[in-house]
Amino acid sequence: MLRADLLRSEIATTFRRWRTLVLLAVLAGVPVLVGVAVRIQAGRHGGGGGPAFLAGIAGNGLFLVFTALAVTLPVFLPMAVGVVAGDAIAGEAHTGTLRYLLVAPAGRTRLLCAKLVTVVAFCLAGTLVVALSALATGALLFPLGKVTLLSGTSISFGEGLLRALAIAGVVALSLLGVAALGLFVSTLTDSGVAAMATTVGLVLTAQILDGIPQLQAIQPYLFPHYWLSFADLLRDPVYMDGILRNLGLQALYAVVFGSAAWARFTTRDITA
């Protein structure tokens, strides 16, 4: 059973690192940049013109939350998760602390579980940072009010907030595949930099493969394929097919690569 003190220690250590704080700061800055750019764009065009999503943000600041999550999910969020996950085990091995962690009665399985939960916590934290930064920026720069969904239906601002929270939850869960993949890569090497670079490289490679039309046969099995399905939560009625496929695919990646990480880590010869 996972020990609470071990989990608290891992989460506290991860979120106190300068690298983690810088990653969260960068994620928080993306919605601000998008909001300022849209504000300038709206001012130049008198609040009209431009792409539809820009007009949506200018008319209602809550749309900045949806837009910021759509902008950060393909690149910024998975790269940040890849850095944290890739460094989880390899970073400890590189600094020589992994051996001392395993001397404690926690054991390898419990330590690996604590690392995985910590990475998942970062997935949630990173997503919430983006959403909260976008909400604050949107409230400061644009009016707030009723939300017009993609299907044309209008809902109250309160219901819009609930949908934004649901979208943030789906986005956080969409990163589970990257978290498990990065943790597995982290068990393969003693170099934290190599593990982080490999994980980020795999994320970018999957994104490229998902954009090649000739590879349609394999694309539904790539972890980023259904990432933007969260947009279906902005419809009335909500379309759940894409969202459920996405969550199912992330669960599959988590099980496969989580099991692979466990098999590798529990049999690994720790010499650091």
Side-chain angles (χ1 to χ4, degrees):
M1 188 174 181
L2 185 58
R3 291 170 49 183
D5 56 342
L6 175 63
L7 180 58
R8 285 196 300 267
S9 175
E10 286 298 326
I11 291 178
T13 300
T14 298
F15 281 90
R16 280 200 300 259
R17 287 177 178 149
W18 278 107
R19 179 175 57 244
T20 304
L21 297 176
V22 169
L23 289 173
L24 292 175
V26 170
L27 291 174
V30 173
V32 176
L33 293 176
V34 174
V36 171
V38 173
R39 180 65 180 175
I40 295 174
Q41 173 88 359
R44 289 177 177 175
H45 292 85
F53 78 91
L54 293 182
I57 297 174
N60 192 330
L62 187 58
F63 268 92
L64 184 57
V65 177
F66 312 138
T67 303
L69 290 172
V71 169
T72 55
L73 181 56
V75 179
F76 295 99
L77 276 170
M79 287 182 65
V81 172
V83 168
V84 174
D87 189 58
I89 300 296
E92 301 280 10
H94 179 71
T95 58
T97 57
L98 181 58
R99 184 176 181 179
Y100 298 102
L101 285 173
L102 294 177
V103 171
R108 298 193 180 197
T109 299
R110 287 180 177 176
L111 178 61
L112 186 67
C113 289
K115 293 288 188 181
L116 178 59
V117 173
T118 300
V119 177
V120 173
F122 179 81
C123 295
L124 179 60
T127 303
L128 288 178
V129 163
V130 172
L132 292 175
S133 175
L135 181 60
T137 303
L140 287 173
L141 298 179
F142 308 103
L144 300 175
K146 289 187 176 180
V147 179
T148 301
L149 302 177
L150 298 179
S151 55
T153 307
S154 293
I155 59 175
S156 67
F157 178 75
E159 186 176 346
L161 278 177
L162 292 177
R163 296 214 183 198
L165 180 61
I167 287 174
V170 171
V171 169
L173 292 175
S174 297
L175 300 169
L176 289 180
V178 176
L181 177 62
L183 192 63
F184 170 62
V185 172
S186 189
T187 64
L188 300 177
T189 177
D190 290 341
S191 172
V193 174
M196 289 185 286
T198 300
T199 304
V200 172
L202 290 173
V203 170
L204 296 178
T205 300
Q207 294 272 41
I208 293 172
L209 294 178
D210 194 49
I212 299 176
Q214 291 80 3
L215 299 178
Q216 290 181 352
I218 68 169
Q219 287 171 352
Y221 304 100
L222 299 175
F223 57 83
H225 186 67
Y226 298 105
W227 272 352
L228 296 181
S229 62
F230 72 80
D232 290 337
L233 288 170
L234 294 175
R235 303 183 187 277
D236 188 20
V238 175
Y239 299 152
M240 293 299 299
D241 289 351
I243 296 173
L244 293 177
R245 288 193 184 100
N246 176 40
L247 298 181
L249 186 62
Q250 303 308 319
L252 177 62
Y253 270 82
V255 170
V256 170
F257 286 101
S259 300
W262 175 82
R264 166 62 179 169
F265 188 57
T266 53
T267 57
R268 178 178 174 180
D269 180 21
I270 305 298
T271 59

